[in-house]
Amino acid sequence: MKILVTAKRVEDPESKIKVKPDGSDIVKEGLKYKINPFDEIGVEEGLRLAAKHTGEVVVVSIGGKEVQEQLRHALAMGANRAIWVNHTGPLDQLGIAGLLQKVAEKEKPDVVLLGKQSIDDDQNQVGQYLAEFLGWGQATFASKVESLESDQEKNKVPAVVLSADKKSVQVVREVDNGLATLEVQLPAVITTDLRLNQPRYASLPGIMKAKSKPIEELTPAGLGVDVAPKIQVLKLASPPARKAGIKVPDVATLVEKLHNEAKVV
Amino acid sequence: MSIVLIVAEQQPDGNLRKASLNAIAAGKQLADKAGAELHLVLLSKDPSRLAEELKGTGAKVIHTAAAPEFEHYLAEVYAPVVAGLAQELKASFVGAASTAQGKDLLPRVAARLKAAMATDITGINGSGADITFTRPMWAGNVFAEVKLTTPVQVISIRATEFSPAAGAGASAEVKSFQPKLEASKTKFVSFNEVKSARPELTEASVVVSGGRGTKGDFKEIEALADLLGAAVGASRAVCDAGWVPNDLQVGQTGKVVAPKLYIAAGISGAIQHLAGMKSSKTIVAINKDPEAPIFQVADYGLVDDLFKVLPALRESIQKLK
Ligand SMILES: Cc1cc2nc3c(=O)[nH]c(=O)nc-3n(C[C@H](O)[C@H](O)[C@H](O)COP(=O)(O)OP(=O)(O)OC[C@H]3O[C@@H](n4cnc5c(N)ncnc54)[C@H](O)[C@@H]3O)c2cc1C
Ligand SMILES: Cc1cc2nc3c(=O)[nH]c(=O)nc-3n(C[C@H](O)[C@H](O)[C@H](O)COP(=O)(O)OP(=O)(O)OC[C@H]3O[C@@H](n4cnc5c(N)ncnc54)[C@H](O)[C@@H]3O)c2cc1C
């Protein structure tokens, strides 16, 4: 089984994000970067599937030289090899999905695993664009039924389940008001939700080994994809600040305020 | 005249997803600003009842298609139909509420239309050909103004930022069309619904949420919610632990709510949680830790043990009634 997993570089979710005074960008100084948390979950799921069905995990990231850090992270977790699509400058979903389509057509994986959304732009689109471009089935927001603290989770059983004939996967999805289960023919695109699994830590031997694993370099021109963005981000702004609240000493005061001031009870 | 096409969502129980009414209101606003007509599309096994319900929402035309394949929503089945209709109508904008379905469907429609898309828009700016959208990034720490430069533009709409479309009086014309259905590589297997007698999280005017501070004991949260006719919410920590269904998660990657009153008990207030509740009108935080970040957004903060506060709160509110 071959699994292609994406690894986008994003600001650490713990970072304090501030907008530059001129609204052109965020303040980049002092920020730390990570693999998108959803993508890390994708790498973990890929590794579990590959372990169960003897397969290979190939990880791909699009961006400048610095995205090699995220590729190395995925390799240290256990991915077999990496593909770096070298591109600097803005990219929209059409461009990213177009590049991933070419990579998928080259690699011919059974499954492409992507994060359901990236935590910087929060678009939640690339997986679905990719599925349509490839003409494949999609299962977005893959999750699992058990708690992340369950014994099954601790024993690292994949939540994405391959059928007996190995021609399809069953995926449990987090949707409004519950969990939906789909069966998707392979090859398929799956996007991960937070409750799919708990990613492993990269071990020290894993980190050492990652250093010698290959990273293949590709370019948009080489892949024949026009990535000229169709989205213009014109201006960034901070959200309106909430007016400062107060601390109340006790329940009686709280109820009095809610009743007479806020008029909500 | 150019057209704004909004997808109305039917829930698995056959009823209209309420967030669609908010999306229709946003569609109306967009149509007015862009000098366009508002059309709706409704795919269903039997669309007649919902089409009737949607007649007074300000749309000019409601396009309905009936097929047994529409019973269980599947992106692969719906996307070609919506994209096909958009092409036939020469729609300039296609949109829907950013529900789980909207977020699953619209990018696939956009890909088919070679269109750029903006997710979870909270505002519509400009007029005529110069329309831009406001949307959150970085868990709502940043709001961006974006312009989509493809001939067709696709948007998903954050319901809490638009009041629901209501009785515009004028009756829309209902037009049924015959969809061309494609074979799907995806099959619906099952839907495990979380049933609750309480109001829906995204629609409730009061939400009582619990975090890890509850240690999984939601009895007091639920009792207060029932007294206030409120919905119950939770932080991610609580859902991950399996203490409550995932469906109750409020935040960047859970539900976005904006009730009149949001009560957060035993929730620290990580930015990812705040992203889902910061637009609530009045926020109450109950937390043992006076330094908890939740107090920075709370209108009223109470530093104390939630297991002491919640029963007392219930008692004094009961006395008011
Ligand atoms: C300040 C700012 C200015 C910007 N300006 C522009 C602009 O002018 N024009 C423009 O087109 N775009 C611009 N962008 C970028 C644009 O907003 C998004 O990056 C783009 O729309 C893709 O969205 P996403 O990464 O959120 O995708 P999502 O759909 O949220 O991502 C889902 C998944 O797709 C995969 N993925 C996404 N990106 C990559 C990647 N690079 N490598 C590997 N996998 C990936 C990951 O698995 C990810 O989890 C700007 C962004 C910012 C922050
Ligand atoms: C990619 C990503 C996406 C995420 N998306 C979301 C999301 O959508 N929604 C979300 O909520 N989180 C999300 N998170 C997680 C988020 O960062 C926090 O980890 C989470 O919100 C913490 O939950 P909590 O406040 O319940 O728990 P904790 O941070 O553990 O806080 C518990 C609080 O309870 C207080 N407390 C303990 N006992 C009591 C008591 N007896 N009485 C009163 N107070 C008490 C403590 O002082 C503490 O402040 C996301 C994280 C990532 C990385």
Side-chain angles (χ1 to χ4, degrees):
Chain A
M1 191 173 200
K2 187 165 176 179
I3 302 133
L4 185 67
V5 193
T6 48
K8 182 179 170 175
R9 178 180 174 87
V10 296
E11 290 75 22
D12 184 330
E14 308 287 320
S15 305
K16 191 110 191 84
I17 302 292
K18 282 207 288 282
V19 177
K20 282 187 183 169
D22 68 358
S24 63
D25 205 344
I26 58 165
V27 179
K28 297 269 171 73
E29 283 76 41
L31 288 182
K32 285 206 206 73
Y33 290 84
K34 277 199 153 171
I35 179 173
N36 185 31
F38 290 88
D39 295 16
E40 193 173 29
I41 290 167
V43 173
E44 175 66 41
E45 198 65 18
L47 292 172
R48 293 185 194 188
L49 277 168
K52 193 152 184 226
H53 304 287
T54 46
E56 185 191 25
V57 175
V58 182
V59 58
V60 53
S61 190
I62 306 164
K65 200 172 181 355
E66 61 283 357
V67 305
Q68 292 191 25
E69 269 176 51
Q70 280 62 52
L71 291 173
R72 290 282 175 218
H73 175 83
L75 291 171
M77 284 173 72
N80 300 84
R81 57 192 179 83
I83 296 170
W84 165 39
V85 183
N86 183 353
H87 176 79
T88 39
L91 276 169
D92 60 21
Q93 308 79 12
L94 286 156
I96 295 165
L99 293 169
L100 293 175
Q101 178 193 357
K102 294 294 171 190
V103 172
E105 283 166 0
K106 251 167 68 93
E107 291 287 330
K108 300 189 174 49
D110 300 289
V111 172
V112 185
L113 276 163
L114 306 92
K116 83 160 176 182
Q117 81 191 65
S118 59
I119 59 152
D120 50 0
D121 305 310
D122 279 338
Q123 289 270 36
N124 197 325
Q125 299 175 18
V126 171
Q128 297 89 309
Y129 269 83
L130 176 62
E132 174 64 32
F133 284 176
L134 288 165
W136 295 2
Q138 75 186 41
T140 54
F141 325 146
S143 188
K144 64 171 15 174
V145 183
E146 318 91 58
S147 135
L148 279 181
E149 292 172 7
S150 70
D151 290 340
Q152 286 97 320
E153 172 60 25
K154 283 171 199 142
N155 294 328
K156 297 212 157 53
V157 174
V160 174
V161 179
L162 191 64
S163 67
D165 65 4
K166 298 195 174 2
K167 290 206 171 109
S168 64
V169 282
Q170 274 224 354
V171 182
V172 175
R173 309 174 53 232
E174 250 180 85
V175 297
D176 294 331
N177 302 339
L179 294 171
T181 305
L182 292 183
E183 189 177 307
V184 198
Q185 268 174 43
L186 298 182
V189 171
I190 297 172
T191 75
T192 60
D193 215 318
L194 291 173
R195 245 95 44 190
L196 184 58
N197 62 46
Q198 211 125 55
R200 69 194 66 189
Y201 288 105
S203 65
L204 196 58
I207 295 169
M208 297 310 290
K209 243 198 255 164
K211 295 199 165 123
S212 59
K213 287 184 183 171
I215 295 183
E216 180 184 355
E217 182 181 341
L218 301 172
T219 62
L223 290 167
V225 181
D226 172 15
V227 292
K230 306 290 190 293
I231 299 181
Q232 289 170 11
V233 178
L234 303 174
K235 202 172 176 336
L236 302 184
S238 304
R242 282 187 77 89
K243 80 169 181 6
I246 54 162
K247 287 220 175 95
V248 291
D250 50 38
V251 170
T253 318
L254 176 59
V255 173
E256 188 273 314
K257 295 279 184 199
L258 290 177
H259 189 62
N260 297 321
E261 204 173 79
K263 300 192 172 20
V264 283
V265 296
Chain B
M1 201 179 206
S2 77
I3 286 173
V4 175
L5 181 65
I6 300 290
V7 186
E9 177 180 343
Q10 184 170 29
Q11 299 182 152
D13 67 5
N15 290 318
L16 182 74
R17 176 91 51 210
K18 290 268 169 47
S20 287
L21 290 174
N22 308 71
I24 292 167
K28 184 83 181 85
Q29 204 185 101
L30 173 56
D32 289 346
K33 288 188 174 173
E37 253 174 28
L38 177 65
H39 289 209
L40 310 182
V41 54
L42 173 65
L43 309 183
S44 167
K45 201 169 78 167
D46 176 13
S48 48
R49 180 174 64 86
L50 288 197
E52 205 55 42
E53 226 176 277
L54 289 166
K55 267 188 174 170
T57 54
K60 186 107 198 297
V61 185
I62 304 167
H63 303 270
T64 63
E69 286 86 346
F70 296 147
E71 178 168 12
H72 302 292
Y73 158 81
L74 283 173
E76 249 178 293
V77 175
Y78 275 47
V81 178
V82 173
L85 178 68
Q87 271 167 327
E88 209 178 293
L89 295 172
K90 299 196 173 59
S92 336
F93 299 92
V94 181
S98 49
T99 55
Q101 177 179 313
K103 286 184 170 170
D104 183 59
L105 171 68
L106 287 173
R108 192 141 187 156
V109 172
R112 218 171 161 93
L113 296 169
K114 301 274 178 293
M117 173 173 166
T119 298
D120 233 5
I121 66 146
T122 57
I124 302 161
N125 327 298
S127 64
D130 234 357
I131 295 284
T132 64
F133 300 103
T134 306
R135 61 174 302 272
M137 287 184 171
W138 286 283
N141 274 313
V142 176
F143 279 77
E145 187 181 340
V146 300
K147 188 174 171 65
L148 308 177
T149 64
T150 45
V152 189
Q153 305 179 29
V154 179
I155 51 169
S156 72
I157 296 147
R158 181 174 281 199
T160 51
E161 298 294 326
F162 299 89
S163 321
S171 264
E173 177 190 355
V174 179
K175 277 190 187 167
S176 68
F177 69 105
Q178 207 61 49
K180 259 214 343 261
L181 294 177
E182 295 180 8
S184 170
K185 300 186 176 85
T186 312
K187 244 180 26 209
F188 170 85
V189 177
S190 62
F191 177 56
N192 219 329
E193 193 180 357
V194 180
K195 287 216 175 75
S196 166
R198 296 193 185 89
E200 167 112 46
L201 194 47
T202 50
E203 292 160 15
S205 62
V206 181
V207 173
V208 185
S209 279
R212 193 163 12 220
T214 62
K215 299 193 177 56
D217 180 358
F218 259 54
K219 278 200 282 303
E220 283 303 331
I221 302 278
E222 287 168 353
L224 180 60
D226 289 342
L227 178 69
L228 296 170
V232 168
S235 70
R236 177 188 167 188
V238 167
C239 299
D240 280 3
W243 292 335
V244 302
N246 300 336
D247 191 51
L248 299 189
Q249 180 180 316
V250 172
Q252 177 190 19
T253 53
K255 301 250 161 82
V256 177
V257 301
K260 283 209 211 72
L261 173 63
Y262 189 88
I263 302 177
I267 294 179
S268 61
I271 58 160
Q272 293 89 0
H273 187 81
L274 302 187
M277 45 67 78
K278 238 180 6 188
S279 326
S280 304
K281 229 159 149 238
T282 300
I283 297 174
V284 172
I286 301 154
N287 197 303
K288 278 204 298 209
D289 173 9
E291 302 300 321
I294 189 81
F295 288 123
Q296 288 163 19
V297 302
D299 299 285
Y300 306 110
L302 183 51
V303 182
D304 209 341
D305 187 328
L306 70 94
F307 291 103
K308 247 176 58 199
V309 171
L310 292 178
L313 193 55
R314 193 149 43 90
E315 215 167 286
S316 3
I317 292 173
Q318 219 145 19
K319 274 194 203 132
L320 279 179
K321 295 203 163 179

